[in-house]
Amino acid sequence: MLSLHQLRCFLATYEHGSLTAAADELGYAQPSVSEQVRALETSLGVQLFRRVGRGVVPTTVADTLRPHAEKVLAAVEEAREAVQSVKAFETGTIRFGMFGVARLYAGAGLIADVLGRYPGVRVELVGQNSTEVAEDLRRGRLEAAMLAVSGVESEGITITPVAREELVYISADPTRLTSPVTARRLAEASLVMPETTWRAEDSTRILLRQMLHETGRNPQTRIEVEDVETAVELVGLGLADSVIPRGAAEQLIPRLAPGAGWVSLRPRQWDTFAIVHRTGAVLSPAARLMIELATARIQEIAEPLARS
Amino acid sequence: MLSLHQLRCFLATYEHGSLTAAADELGYAQPSVSEQVRALETSLGVQLFRRVGRGVVPTTVADTLRPHAEKVLAAVEEAREAVQSVKAFETGTIRFGMFGVARLYAGAGLIADVLGRYPGVRVELVGQNSTEVAEDLRRGRLEAAMLAVSGVESEGITITPVAREELVYISADPTRLTSPVTARRLAEASLVMPETTWRAEDSTRILLRQMLHETGRNPQTRIEVEDVETAVELVGLGLADSVIPRGAAEQLIPRLAPGAGWVSLRPRQWDTFAIVHRTGAVLSPAARLMIELATARIQEIAEPLARS
DNA sequence: GGAAAGCATAGGACGATCCTAGGGTTCCTG
DNA sequence: CAGGAACCCTAGGATCGTCCTATGCTTTCC
């Protein structure tokens, strides 16, 4: 079996024209190098050196092998260096989950933070829909993610809240925004709801369900959409109202629904932003970095929560 | 210590997303592959796979390492192949066809060239008679040969002329060498002819036939022999005259027929030396080497022809 | 809730690696 | 030309690495 060790011994021998000198360079005893070279010769079925009393002389096969052996060892070095540089965040890909409105709070800015610190790195923010992120986490394809959650419990998943953000009622009809929206009024509203949080434990929906339950009505969600932007646009068109985090409203309404506005709920409700990862997993430095930066970003905008 | 074996285990695991499947592919038990991968991770100081209950998931570091690992293994394969292709020269037998007078021009010297470059090699110069060489070529037992030819056409055989050599009339009778020999005189001569060239298209004989035809006579070849040496010896004994390439005459007459001499024909005639091989065949490095060396030898003595 | 799939660990057999000690050959030198 | 230096080889033993089987644990699927 051809080995890197054999190639190293071969090259040292080739360069020095001597097994003894090669052994010195490599820090081995001479018979060891001799054995390695012989093993290489046997494994290739070719003589690499002619033993001529004093010293050894490379054959033409050795001449042929040499550049290839050097290339192999160079490739090994490259591999090692590539890994080390990734380890030190100089290059490579950092993958991080970020779902729903969290993206509005820390998307582009977070990437800018990472690239500012590690210019060579490639960042991947995954999260088209919450079930996909959940699956990726569960399967281990994703180390960690930043999400908006309601509860703090899940099987095999650890959820660490880092910030909270008030939920507001948004509408294009100014008459609906004159006072905080109560459960009764919410139950009567025609709503468009984006899928912004963690799985079925969507805090906004739980809230709505609770409110509606109090009023004895069924859920009245008129439209379901994937992303917040679409929901806000629909609100801007006057087709429905919605309930989203305040920061999202402040950011999106001027851009996508200039005619709309927002108002608090009564009682006030909050979405929780949290770091989510597999329970018991040892997080990589990359993941820890992303968590740190994402948390900092979120806490600049939303109200910080003490991390446990 | 990073090893090729570890890289192989890593790649198999990466591709299958499973240590068990990788072990199956490599023909090892699962714990062995597991051990190798872990050793690689330890030696690099990074985690390459996240163990996630069922199966393993590559980390971003693994993504980075993979192309490098592939490159290393590819380089190893290249090295092995390079050695194997040279090995044929080192230890194997090089067979090369060389018929008739060509042997005089490039026989021993050619073998010396080859052995000088590849001391371990065994060289076989085949070619006792032309039909045998023809058969060997046609059957593929011989990759290529150096021959004296007349034409440049043959079924399934590619003929590449490399040099030409004047044909001279040799005799032990000085009175026959006072002036160039014409067709008439040739027709009157008593000749001993060796079989020196390619099959029936023996250039010397074709020439003779043409000359004799002009004079209205039948072929007058008195003696047929296999090799030039015998023919020259017979000439030396005064039993007949002959027509052979000038280089053969210069080389053989002093040794085998000291009393004899030579003179040009009128008009002058030439034998052509050519490389012969199966049309469309891919020549081995060994064959290419022989062709190169044989051509160089021949062209040192005979008049070079541009190779097409 | 049990079966299946898949990784980790443990312990032992076997082979590879590396060392020291000593023998042989070539080449230089007095 | 004899002795020594340089250099390679062989031999034998200690140690380490590799690979196996057996088994336990977790996750996943039915």
Side-chain angles (χ1 to χ4, degrees), chain B residues 103-164:
Chain B
R103 171 174 44 87
L104 294 176
Y105 287 72
L110 175 60
I111 292 179
D113 287 347
V114 175
L115 292 184
R117 261 212 245 180
Y118 303 104
V121 90
R122 214 175 76 81
V123 185
E124 213 172 291
L125 240 47
V126 310
Q128 268 312 311
N129 69 64
S130 67
T131 50
E132 184 194 305
V133 173
E135 196 61 12
D136 282 356
L137 267 170
R138 210 171 51 79
R139 288 263 160 96
R141 285 197 292 264
L142 211 54
E143 277 192 282
M146 164 76 75
L147 299 174
V149 294
S150 53
V152 283
E153 307 287 346
S154 193
E155 3 63 62
I157 298 287
T158 299
I159 297 175
T160 310
V162 294
R164 71 172 194 174

Side-chain angles (χ1 to χ4, degrees), chain B:
Chain B
M1 207 56 205
L2 194 149
S3 80
L4 292 175
H5 191 190
Q6 287 167 6
L7 293 181
R8 271 187 280 266
C9 289
F10 162 73
L11 279 181
T13 304
Y14 187 100
E15 277 154 23
H16 288 93
S18 152
L19 292 169
T20 307
D24 277 352
E25 183 195 306
L26 298 171
Y28 294 122
Q30 171 263 318
S32 303
V33 176
S34 177
E35 187 178 356
Q36 292 300 321
V37 170
R38 189 147 349 96
L40 182 58
E41 287 179 326
T42 307
S43 118
L44 293 173
V46 287
Q47 192 178 12
L48 293 170
F49 297 96
R50 271 192 295 286
R51 275 72 168 175
V52 38
R54 197 135 146 160
V56 291
V57 179
T59 63
T60 54
V61 184
D63 295 336
T64 305
L65 176 58
R66 187 181 60 122
H68 289 94
E70 281 168 352
K71 196 176 158 197
V72 169
L73 295 185
V76 169
E77 268 326 292
E78 272 174 37
R80 207 194 301 273
E81 277 163 24
V83 167
Q84 293 312 313
S85 79
V86 178
K87 186 180 155 186
F89 291 86
E90 279 303 307
T91 61
T93 298
I94 300 183
R95 294 184 80 230
F96 190 70
M98 178 154 283
F99 176 66
V101 288
R103 171 174 44 87
L104 294 176
Y105 287 72
L110 175 60
I111 292 179
D113 287 347
V114 175
L115 292 184
R117 261 212 245 180
Y118 303 104
V121 90
R122 214 175 76 81
V123 185
E124 213 172 291
L125 240 47
V126 310
Q128 268 312 311
N129 69 64
S130 67
T131 50
E132 184 194 305
V133 173
E135 196 61 12
D136 282 356
L137 267 170
R138 210 171 51 79
R139 288 263 160 96
R141 285 197 292 264
L142 211 54
E143 277 192 282
M146 164 76 75
L147 299 174
V149 294
S150 53
V152 283
E153 307 287 346
S154 193
E155 3 63 62
I157 298 287
T158 299
I159 297 175
T160 310
V162 294
R164 71 172 194 174
E165 176 77 340
E166 189 186 352
L167 290 170
V168 295
Y169 184 92
I170 62 172
S171 176
D173 181 350
T175 65
R176 296 181 200 149
L177 303 174
T178 51
S179 65
V181 173
T182 60
R184 170 183 302 272
R185 282 185 45 207
L186 198 59
E188 287 166 355
S190 172
L191 296 176
V192 51
M193 294 303 297
E195 189 184 37
T196 56
T197 63
W198 174 250
R199 304 231 277 171
E201 300 147 45
D202 184 315
S203 56
T204 317
R205 283 153 196 257
I206 287 174
L207 161 69
L208 290 179
R209 237 179 283 131
Q210 285 174 346
M211 284 182 156
L212 293 170
H213 188 257
E214 283 172 19
T215 62
R217 294 237 202 156
N218 284 331
Q220 195 73 325
T221 309
R222 191 171 170 195
I223 311 170
E224 292 269 359
V225 297
E226 279 280 328
D227 59 312
V228 213
E229 280 90 342
T230 309
V232 172
E233 283 189 72
L234 291 171
V235 169
L237 296 173
L239 297 173
D241 293 349
S242 187
V243 175
I244 63 173
R246 170 192 291 269
E250 287 173 351
Q251 189 178 137
L252 295 177
I253 284 179
R255 218 172 72 215
L256 302 172
W262 69 84
V263 69
S264 291
L265 298 178
R266 173 174 299 166
R268 294 189 164 202
Q269 301 290 336
W270 285 272
D271 245 10
T272 303
F273 293 103
I275 297 299
V276 177
H277 62 86
R278 287 156 56 87
T279 305
V282 176
L283 294 177
S284 71
R288 278 200 290 274
L289 170 76
M290 290 301 287
I291 288 172
E292 190 184 312
L293 294 176
T295 301
R297 280 273 161 186
I298 290 275
Q299 292 184 339
E300 271 177 24
I301 299 167
E303 178 185 345
L305 290 174
R307 286 185 65 183
S308 59

Side-chain angles (χ1 to χ4, degrees), chain A residues 181-189 211-212 214-215 217 266:
Chain A
V181 173
T182 59
R184 170 183 301 272
R185 278 185 49 208
L186 199 57
E188 287 166 358
M211 286 183 156
L212 293 171
E214 286 171 18
T215 62
R217 296 238 203 154
R266 173 175 296 167

